[in-house]
């Protein structure tokens, strides 16, 4: 099975991918169990903290039913790091050409980020057909995605950035949206307090969303 097929199947597992910033890797295993139990098995851990790689590794080893992704990958040097940590796929916020070239050689699937039609076309020419649209709300939102479906019918998107419980269904209703990414499932205050009950409620609600 190709990387594209693997990524497609992973992205179809749930309507929402929690985009999580982890400050303390010790919470990562319990957090992953909570999200999986609530119906959100795909979890993006952003490489925004020093705990991120440890969190990815812990989830990959202890919660095999979770599909843990490495987000905010900015450099080719990080590709091997996240793959070795156990990430199942890579997500970038944007994709300069040099990074895209490196990502084509990645040992795991990749969902590169874009925010314009030209960027999406460039990535499509390089063989990527599942793209992160970021920052979604600031870059045209659901209206942008609806507009590009005609000229770019072979591309599928995971819009992320500025999406919440209220706006998510408007994205999920579009034929070129496979899922959405969101931070609202793991709010900073709940993460800081370790309030997994609150996170589970938000996750269960997100798992029930439809377009």
């Amino acid at each position: 099975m190709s990387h594209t097929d693997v990524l497609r199947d992973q992205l179809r597992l749930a309507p929402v991918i929690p985009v999580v910033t982890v400050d303390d890797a010790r919470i990562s295993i319990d957090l992953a169990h909570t999200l999986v139990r609530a119906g959100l098995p795909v979890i993006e851990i952003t490489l925004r903290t020093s705990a991120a790689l440890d969190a990815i590794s812990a989830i990959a080893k202890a919660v095999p039913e979770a599909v843990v992704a490495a987000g905010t990958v900015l450099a080719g040097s990080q590709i091997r790091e996240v793959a070795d940590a156990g990430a199942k796929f890579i997500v970038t916020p944007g994709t300069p050409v040099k990074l895209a070239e490196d990502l084509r050689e990645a040992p795991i699937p990749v969902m590169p980020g874009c925010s314009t039609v030209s960027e999406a076309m460039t990535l499509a020419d390089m063989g990527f057909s599942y793209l992160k649209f970021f920052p979604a709300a600031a870059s045209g939102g659901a209206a942008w995605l609806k507009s590009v479906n005609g000229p770019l019918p072979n591309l599928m998107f995971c819009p992320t950035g500025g999406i919440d419980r209220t706006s998510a269904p408007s994205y999920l209703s579009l034929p070129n949206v496979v899922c959405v990414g969101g931070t609202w499932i793991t709010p900073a205050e709940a993460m800081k307090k370790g309030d997994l009950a609150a996170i589970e409620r938000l996750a269960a609600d997100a798992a029930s969303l439809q377009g």
Side-chain angles (χ1 to χ4, degrees), residues 20-52:
V20 186
T21 299
V22 177
D23 292 310
D24 186 344
R26 290 175 295 182
I27 194 178
S28 57
I29 293 174
D30 288 340
L31 175 66
H33 279 302
T34 297
L35 293 171
V36 170
R37 183 169 59 246
L40 299 182
V42 185
I43 306 164
E44 179 184 333
I45 303 294
T46 66
L47 299 189
R48 298 180 184 181
T49 69
S50 59

Side-chain angles (χ1 to χ4, degrees), residues 105-118:
E105 307 302 320
I108 55 178
V110 177
M111 183 167 66
C114 70
S115 63
T116 70
V117 173
S118 293

Side-chain angles (χ1 to χ4, degrees), residues 2 10 27 57 82 89 107 110 119 159 167 172 182 192 194:
S2 70
Q10 290 168 334
I27 194 178
S57 179
V82 299
F89 66 93
V110 177
E119 291 169 357
S167 62
L172 293 170
K192 183 177 180 181

